[in-house]
Amino acid sequence: MENYFDITMTDDQLRTISSIGLAHMGDAVFEILVRTWLCAHGKATGKGLHQATIALVRAESQAEMAGRILPLLTEEEAAVFRRGRNAQVHSVPPHASRAQYGEATALEALFGWLWLRGRKDRINELFCVMMEE
């Protein structure tokens, strides 16, 4: 039986997943991290948790935070980030620019790729840099 909480895919398996597929996975990973961070830091309680989560996971915030980690990415990670940024998305939310949405998609693709590679340590390292105040 596969353990989907602790999955490690091969490079060949990862190459078969589209950038949108990686971003889909990374979106969930990023949201879990944000929710955990908010709870652990007591940043919001009750009804405010949902609003605080939305504020951090929306494309504009993700794009801004992605800029903090770009200099830290390995060549391989930067290639995945670029691949995600160049993904063909068909709709952009009205509150974000196309550039912001591309950066957010790239960040999510990177987090999805790292998750599926089993690199939770690297995700955490990058997330901590992103959340520094």
Side-chain angles (χ1 to χ4, degrees), residues 49 64 100 120:
L49 277 171
E64 187 267 320
Q100 288 171 324
K120 294 182 196 121

Side-chain angles (χ1 to χ4, degrees), residues 92-108:
V92 175
H95 53 79
S97 70
R98 183 164 288 282
Q100 288 171 324
Y101 197 68
E103 293 290 304
T105 302
L107 175 66
E108 291 173 347

Side-chain angles (χ1 to χ4, degrees), residues 71-83:
L72 306 175
L73 300 183
T74 66
E75 285 184 33
E76 191 175 27
E77 291 166 348
V80 172
F81 188 91
R82 283 190 301 276
R83 180 179 158 205

